[in-house]
Amino acid sequence: MKHLRDMTLTFTLTWIFWLSLISGRCLSQVVQPRVPPGQQVPCFYIFGDSLVDNGNNNGILTLARANYRPYGIDFPGGATGRFTNGRTYVDALAQLLGFPTYIAPYSRARGLELLRGANYASGAAGIREETGSNLGAHTSLNEQVANFGNTVQQLRRFFRGDNESLNSYLNKCLFFSGMGSNDYLNNYFMSDFYSTSSDYTVKAFATVLLQDYSRHLSQLYSLGARKVMVTAVGQIGCIPYQLARFHGNNSRCNEKINNAISLFNSGLKKMVQNFNGGQLPGAKFVYLDFYESSQDLSSNGTSYGFDVIDKGCCGVGRNNGQITCLPLQQPCENRQKYLFWDAFHPTELANILLAKATYSSQSYTYPINIQQLAML
């Protein structure tokens, strides 16, 4: 921890030194921020839901919170608001990209810290505005993009109004967007609370979701995003929450949900192709196939060291998935053997394995991997 604090202090002093240089120069002589040695991109901006939220929901009125034990039981900072036992996927990815510290949640990121990135993700958030409202307050994707717009306004001050230099800086950054799970879990397939399943066929719902998503991603592009990762929705028909409720004769998982998600995922991959094909000039989007990766981890669990692939390490009821992990509940002892931490979210080990696979190989990435994207 002391080593981490020392690195953070050194990093902060570097930015303070840079800002002091800027303050004494005219607009035409804006200095580009220095990137720490070994860090592959200058900044990393994250948008998403509880799979990558690292504390933005802590201070709001919602059931979608994880700032209590045993969440964070294996994380150095304890229960920070991450919905797992340790690191999230983007935590592990930031480390692979050479960031000396984790990317801060937007709710706590201030001033110069925003130059290295921010995490805008919010548990229960979706592409649609109403998604997740059954759980209480959250920050929808529309609001997350608006928050990034506010960040760009703040960064403009550091660049002394030089939009060309700011855009050049942002063009080198990585952007991650992982959305869609809640639009199915906490919207379309929750007919007691939402009318979308009666308003839209499965195909029509995927279409309107993708239209909304395309608009949000295009807005990020207009704000300076050029290197963008977007994730497929994982096999949520196979998470402990669904397994606890599903009673199928021919399948372990709820294939009705998985089939619906597959329509969205195939449309998202086509969207990536269109963006890269000239629809958003100069942009490079990478599709991360979290559906295939979650299927692989489940089907070949033992080869990754997982003995338990159908139960949460922490939870209540059938598959530890009827009620998710409760405050101060005793989790399983050997988290390394579990694919799922709770009713919805993977364990730290699963997150790390996925980060490594998408970073350096093309097993689950299209058209290139994340390391290649960072080098562009």
Side-chain angles (χ1 to χ4, degrees):
M1 287 300 290
K2 182 180 184 298
H3 176 63
L4 193 61
R5 285 196 298 270
D6 290 344
M7 292 182 75
T8 304
L9 179 60
T10 302
F11 184 83
T12 303
L13 290 173
T14 300
W15 288 117
I16 292 172
F17 173 70
W18 168 77
L19 186 61
S20 68
L21 283 176
I22 284 183
S23 64
R25 295 174 182 247
C26 64
L27 294 181
S28 62
Q29 294 176 305
V30 172
V31 178
Q32 285 292 328
R34 280 183 54 202
V35 178
Q39 188 175 303
Q40 295 161 41
V41 291
C43 40
F44 186 18
Y45 296 99
I46 298 154
F47 305 83
D49 51 30
S50 58
L51 290 171
V52 292
D53 184 355
N54 63 344
N56 288 311
N57 278 16
N58 290 357
I60 61 178
L61 190 61
T62 178
L63 293 173
R65 289 171 64 162
N67 57 334
Y68 58 85
R69 299 284 277 184
Y71 286 93
I73 190 171
D74 299 311
F75 190 75
T80 57
R82 289 165 168 83
F83 289 75
T84 185
N85 58 305
R87 284 165 285 179
T88 66
Y89 169 81
V90 292
D91 288 331
L93 185 56
Q95 290 181 312
L96 291 168
L97 290 165
F99 282 85
T101 57
Y102 301 119
I103 304 301
Y106 177 69
S107 59
R108 287 197 291 104
R110 297 289 182 273
L112 291 169
E113 193 171 20
L114 293 168
L115 281 164
R116 66 187 295 271
N119 186 330
Y120 303 86
S122 173
I127 297 167
R128 289 177 66 90
E129 198 70 20
E130 80 276 7
T131 290
S133 56
N134 54 296
L135 295 170
H138 62 274
T139 308
S140 67
L141 180 58
N142 183 55
E143 293 170 305
Q144 291 180 37
V145 174
N147 286 339
F148 177 66
N150 293 333
T151 295
V152 172
Q153 293 289 355
Q154 293 182 63
L155 296 183
R156 192 167 284 124
R157 294 202 303 271
F158 300 142
F159 285 82
R160 299 181 65 83
D162 187 339
N163 289 331
E164 186 176 339
S165 292
L166 173 57
N167 287 334
S168 176
Y169 181 73
L170 290 173
N171 291 174
K172 299 181 182 75
C173 302
L174 284 185
F175 291 76
F176 171 93
S177 181
M179 299 296 288
S181 297
N182 286 311
D183 293 292
Y184 287 96
L185 273 176
N186 288 299
N187 192 328
Y188 193 78
F189 287 105
M190 191 172 280
S191 56
D192 290 345
F193 202 91
Y194 301 95
S195 64
T196 41
S197 58
S198 56
D199 295 338
Y200 301 99
T201 64
V202 171
K203 186 175 181 179
F205 186 67
T207 300
V208 297
L209 264 190
L210 290 164
Q211 288 171 347
D212 287 345
Y213 203 13
S214 177
R215 179 168 48 83
H216 294 312
L217 293 172
S218 297
Q219 180 65 16
L220 279 180
Y221 172 85
S222 72
L223 290 167
R226 292 297 180 273
K227 300 180 181 182
V228 186
M229 300 165 272
V230 294
T231 71
V233 175
Q235 262 197 323
I236 58 176
C238 301
I239 62 175
Y241 175 82
Q242 290 298 332
L243 297 180
R245 288 157 177 75
F246 181 65
H247 301 278
N249 295 323
N250 301 318
S251 173
R252 183 179 71 87
C253 302
N254 188 332
E255 296 303 336
K256 180 181 178 182
I257 294 178
N258 285 341
N259 291 336
I261 288 165
S262 294
L263 288 173
F264 172 83
N265 289 342
S266 61
L268 182 60
K269 190 172 184 178
K270 288 176 185 174
M271 186 192 300
V272 166
Q273 291 171 331
N274 291 336
F275 285 162
N276 290 340
Q279 191 172 321
L280 297 180
K284 190 67 173 183
F285 278 72
V286 170
Y287 174 80
L288 307 180
D289 197 342
F290 280 15
Y291 188 94
E292 185 181 346
S293 65
S294 60
Q295 188 175 43
D296 183 25
L297 287 173
S298 179
S299 301
N300 304 296
T302 52
S303 65
Y304 295 104
F306 297 119
D307 291 339
V308 185
I309 60 167
D310 59 350
K311 297 178 182 177
C313 169
C314 185
V316 178
R318 187 182 180 203
N319 298 88
N320 279 350
Q322 289 178 293
I323 300 174
T324 199
C325 194
L326 297 172
L328 302 180
Q329 185 178 348
Q330 185 65 39
C332 65
E333 286 189 14
N334 195 344
R335 269 87 66 183
Q336 302 277 334
K337 298 295 183 183
Y338 279 71
L339 176 59
F340 291 99
W341 161 250
D342 62 10
F344 303 95
H345 308 97
T347 55
E348 177 186 58
L349 178 58
N351 286 327
I352 292 170
L353 290 171
L354 181 54
K356 288 179 177 178
T358 53
Y359 173 74
S360 58
S361 79
Q362 282 186 241
S363 302
Y364 312 119
T365 65
Y366 171 86
I368 56 178
N369 62 41
I370 295 169
Q371 185 177 34
Q372 292 167 327
L373 180 66
M375 292 170 64
L376 293 178

